[in-house]
Structures are given as C-alpha cells and as structure tokens.
Amino acid sequence: MRYELDDLLTLMQVLRDPEQGCPWDIQQGWDSIVPHTLEEAYEVADAIERRAFDELPGELGDLLFQVVYYAQFGAEEQRFDFHDIVHTLTAKMLRRHPHVFPEGTLGSRRPPGVSAEELQTQQVNRRWESLKAEERAERAADAPSVLDDVPRTLPALSRAAKLSKRAARVGFDWPDAEGVVDKIREELAEVEQALAAGDTRHAQEEVGDLLFAVTNLARKLKADPEQCLRGTNDKFERRFRYVEHALNTAHRPLGKASLEEMETHWQAAKDQE
C-alpha cells in the first residue's frame, strides 16, 4: 500500500483529535511548532549539502508535516485549510510566471520556438519584482516598502543577504565587489577604533556592521553567506577534530596543550587537506 497526501491529512486530523489523538500533538499550537519548522528546514539543507539523497525523502517529509500542522491549526480555527494553501501558492506562481503561463492558467504555454533561455532577461526579472512589489503593496498598503515581507525569523546572515538584495535591486548598491571590500576595511577600522577606546558595546555594534558588509560581499560574488559559513564551520570542525586526535595520540590532554602545539597540528590538518 502506498500512502497519498489525503492519508497524511487524515493522519494529522486523528493526531489532533481531542478524544483519540496523541496528547503531545493535541497540546501543540502555532508558536510551539515554529522551532520545529525551522529545525526541519535546516535538516533538509544539511541533507542536500551532504548529498545524503537517501535521507532526503524523510527530511522533506518532516518539513511537509510542518505545513500540514499549520493547515490543521487553520482548519480547526476555520481560518484556512491545506487546500487553501495549495490554491494560494498555485495562483501566486501563475501570476509570477506570465512568461511561462501567458494566460495565467495552468493550461496556457508560451509560443512555440521561444526557449527558456531567451526569457531569462532583465525584463523578466523586472516583471518578477514588479509582481512581488504589487503583492507586498496589497499587504502593506499604508506604507509599502521594498523590504516588506523579509521574515524576521530568518537566520541573521540570510536576512542580511535578502535585505541588501532588495535594496540593490532599486539601485542602492556598490558598483562592484571592490567597493564592498573597501566598506569591509572601513567597518573593520571602526571595530579597531572602538576596541582601542575600550568601548565594548560600540565594538559589538561595529562587528554587526562588519558582518553585514561581509554578507554583501558574498552577494556580490553570487554566493549564499549561510552556505559559505556552513562550509567554514565544517572545515573548522574537521581540522579541530584532527587536532584533538593528534593530541590524544600523543597522550597530551587537550586542556594542557600549548597554543603552539595546537597550531602545529592545525597546520598539519590544513596541509593534509
């Protein structure tokens, strides 16, 4: 037997049933599920980056289960259900892709002989942003901003990248990567000045500015800053584990080893890579 989407929706309804459901699931609400949603999204990203495709169906299922949870909450409060989510998403994607669905319906197609490559033009990108701006304006008619709907719950690096990307699309940007590098040097100098003055609080603020500038450099290089940092985290962990192993082999307790000893093993780890 192969389960389908309707089976998953039924499963959630039973889990949330006040009389026959699971006590833990019955106790959950909008806010309590959010941390799990974020965790499941990160686990999907982790599986993809590790190319653990055998794990991916399960991780994607866990993430989908979060959507089903919110749909059930909405249905219980008579706000919306899973079918409303599917309808809203499909309608939005049709609006945002008039170059693929020219009549705004699933059955419509672009003229024969027009390749996808021909449509990846600046005009299409401007149309995409215009449509998104219209949607944001509808939700924030009083004071629309190009920065509307950038989620505050995003990881700080990802949110910085999205904010700066939005601003760049309306011309608020450096002309090239060199300009961002100059900004990074400027922000680093301000960190050093704050440290020299003994102003820790100001130094912390300037570190934030420095991180924001570095995020912009990643954007200029067409890189995702979160992925860049995750790669560095993995590299650091790999090399530090090498240091731990080398010290353990030499019967040197980690806390007793000198910085020079650890640095020697660190360099060996780098050379090995």
Side-chain angles (χ1 to χ4, degrees):
M1 177 179 180
R2 190 174 182 86
Y3 295 110
E4 304 294 339
L5 180 57
D6 284 343
D7 297 318
L8 179 60
L9 298 177
T10 298
L11 182 145
M12 175 56 74
Q13 291 171 4
V14 175
L15 287 176
R16 292 278 296 172
D17 185 274
E19 295 182 359
Q20 298 182 326
C22 168
W24 187 88
D25 290 286
I26 293 171
Q27 292 173 1
Q28 302 313 304
W30 298 100
D31 296 324
S32 67
I33 291 298
V34 169
H36 299 283
T37 306
L38 297 174
E39 179 180 343
E40 299 300 351
Y42 281 123
E43 290 184 1
V44 168
D46 177 66
I48 291 173
E49 290 181 355
R50 290 187 290 108
R51 293 298 187 264
F53 295 117
D54 58 327
E55 300 176 16
L56 199 51
E59 298 297 352
L60 288 170
D62 291 342
L63 184 57
L64 173 60
F65 196 64
Q66 302 302 302
V67 178
V68 173
Y69 242 123
Y70 296 121
Q72 181 64 27
F73 294 156
E76 291 170 1
E77 298 177 8
Q78 298 183 332
R79 298 176 184 273
F80 60 84
D81 61 17
F82 188 84
H83 301 291
D84 292 320
I85 295 173
V86 173
H87 171 77
T88 302
L89 173 61
T90 304
K92 178 169 64 178
M93 290 299 107
L94 287 172
R95 289 197 307 272
R96 290 184 177 179
H97 294 81
H99 51 294
V100 179
F101 306 101
E103 297 175 16
T105 64
L106 280 174
S108 61
R109 297 293 186 272
R110 61 176 178 263
V114 179
S115 69
E117 288 76 11
E118 292 177 83
L119 295 172
Q120 298 306 313
T121 62
Q122 188 174 6
Q123 180 180 5
V124 171
N125 290 334
R126 284 200 300 266
R127 178 59 179 159
W128 171 273
E129 286 306 311
S130 175
L131 288 165
K132 290 175 69 177
E134 290 174 8
E135 293 170 2
R136 288 194 293 270
E138 290 176 1
R139 294 193 298 271
D142 294 336
S145 166
V146 296
L147 305 181
D148 282 344
D149 77 9
V150 178
R152 299 187 64 85
T153 53
L154 283 175
L157 282 178
S158 293
R159 190 162 192 265
K162 283 187 175 291
L163 290 171
S164 61
K165 185 177 182 180
R166 290 279 182 87
R169 284 176 175 167
V170 294
F172 192 72
D173 195 14
W174 291 272
D176 50 39
E178 284 70 23
V180 189
V181 172
D182 290 340
K183 183 63 175 177
I184 290 173
R185 292 194 182 102
E186 175 188 327
E187 297 297 352
L188 179 57
E190 292 180 359
V191 172
E192 292 172 335
Q193 291 171 8
L195 289 173
D199 192 340
T200 302
R201 185 171 182 177
H202 186 206
Q204 293 172 346
E205 179 182 341
E206 294 299 342
V207 167
D209 293 344
L210 177 60
L211 288 171
F212 193 86
V214 172
T215 299
N216 274 279
L217 179 59
R219 175 177 57 81
K220 279 293 188 181
L221 298 176
K222 302 187 184 306
D224 177 9
E226 282 285 333
Q227 288 184 336
C228 290
L229 186 55
R230 281 199 295 271
T232 296
N233 287 343
D234 291 341
K235 181 169 59 179
F236 178 87
E237 181 179 9
R238 187 170 60 248
R239 292 176 179 175
F240 193 78
R241 287 180 182 274
Y242 180 96
V243 172
E244 289 179 315
H245 177 73
L247 290 172
N248 184 59
T249 301
H251 304 291
R252 289 283 289 166
L254 186 61
K256 300 294 184 179
S258 68
L259 179 58
E260 289 75 14
E261 287 179 277
M262 289 189 284
E263 181 63 24
T264 297
H265 294 307
W266 179 271
Q267 290 301 323
K270 291 179 62 176
D271 293 341
Q272 188 180 70
E273 292 180 359

